[in-house]
Amino acid sequence: MLSFVSTAVCLVVRDATGPFGFALVVLSAAAALIAVPLLGDLSALLTADETGDWVRALPVRASEIHIARALHLLIALFVLTSGALAPALVLAPAEFDLAARATLFAAGQAQSVLLAGALLAAQSLLRGRAHALLVALQSALLVLTMVGTVAGLELVPQMRSWSGPDAAPALRYFPSTWFASFFAEDASAPTLRALGLAASAVALAAVLFVPAPSAAQANAGSTLVGALLAPLRRLLARTWVRGRERATFEWVFDALPKEREFVLRAYPLLAVPLGFLLLGGGEQSGDTRRDLLALLLFIPGAYAPLMVAHTPGTSSHRARWILDTAPVELGEIENGAFKAVAARFLAPLYLVLVVLGGLQGRLEFTLQLAGPAFLTCLIATRAVWRTCVVDLPLSTPHEKLYINNDWMGVLAVVAFALLGLAIAGARFASWPVSFGALIVFALFEHLLDRRMAAGRAHAGA
């Protein structure tokens, strides 16, 4: 996958940039491709082993265990970075001789070490004392990666004239520029090369000598967003959540946001439409802004399945007996979990989208589409819940969680259906159409609600 994405990037910029521009784009893409797995599925490489008690019982020194984990991380970085850079070495412009390609490969490896060292240092400093700040930092990095990829394509035509970091004042503050300076001719290039090498050396020392932080534990108490959503939570608990769904609703509402692995996957997905909305806010064409807003209001239903698929994951999976022995039907457990996800994650997303739409001067249009779009998101998520969510909520270790995301099947159908609704909404939005769509979608969602609650029997009931 890393090589596929890197190949696409190289084919786009190969003939449109010079040596410095090509190196800058390739190294920026490599940094993004490495950061995403290090913050997601491979984040355990930056933390202490969960089987620490067993490892400490082995007849080895603590320093040997630490060095072994550091080498494990460095090998993983080398493999990932090689996969991300291999297409660039093959597709590099003719100006890149064998020595230049070797330099690009070495610069990419040094950049990955810098990235891993920075993330390790941040987790060591913030873990346990500023958990929310660390999650916000990691989420922001993922969103900037996704949104920045689109925004960066607009700069490609300008890069043909870039000979080095002096082409734009802000470039010298971008870490990928430091390593791309090996292909620059500007006066600041030698200084930035030295800065990049020094930063990588410090990062390598951090990887080798800074103790890995312990795995994050769930936070006690209420989160800030949870406290702000308390009135909505009470309202939904009394009007939307059935009595036999209430326990699951309350439990998932409180516990799921404290699962770090879930948060690192959910918050970036929720923030992506916000980032693209801010990115498109400067468009001069009113129709373009209107179409973008309609798309971002309807499209969350297409990626919500990616989020809910992780609801079974937990670091406290030994407590699943609470659900296994609960005297309720399985459909009621699933419905309570679904409503908790909708209230805790999807409703705030749409509230922020409405606020941003109003700030861009499209408040009436946003209000006309927000209600139908939110209901279609709920309907789409319900439709694929039992396809994507393969176990009870908060019941499965993260490393054993099976994600059944059928990209070419049901998810593709949902995405195209939502795209069609977004196009229709952008063209025919009005208050009568909005109220009519609200009634139709609300009735459909009510039918699906009853169907899910009356679903499969629970073996432990």
Side-chain angles (χ1 to χ4, degrees), residues 22 52 90 111 121 127-128 148 221-222 252 262 274 289 331 357 382 386:
F22 180 81
V90 175
Q111 177 183 252
R127 178 78 52 87
S222 174
V252 174
F262 178 84
L274 308 181
R289 198 178 310 167
R382 275 193 192 276
R386 286 174 180 166

Side-chain angles (χ1 to χ4, degrees), residues 227-245:
L228 295 175
L229 293 175
L232 176 64
R233 173 183 182 172
R234 290 193 293 268
L235 175 64
L236 294 179
R238 294 175 181 175
T239 60
W240 191 33
V241 181
R242 298 178 180 85
R244 290 170 63 85
E245 302 167 354

Side-chain angles (χ1 to χ4, degrees), residues 208-273:
L208 293 176
F209 300 110
V210 172
S214 59
Q217 302 297 322
N219 294 336
S222 174
T223 61
L224 176 60
V225 176
L228 295 175
L229 293 175
L232 176 64
R233 173 183 182 172
R234 290 193 293 268
L235 175 64
L236 294 179
R238 294 175 181 175
T239 60
W240 191 33
V241 181
R242 298 178 180 85
R244 290 170 63 85
E245 302 167 354
R246 181 76 177 268
T248 308
F249 173 81
E250 299 285 2
W251 186 28
V252 174
F253 190 100
D254 282 330
L256 197 58
K258 298 172 185 177
E259 292 288 344
R260 178 176 178 271
E261 298 297 327
F262 178 84
V263 166
L264 288 177
R265 290 163 173 81
Y267 284 7
L269 286 174
L270 296 175
V272 166

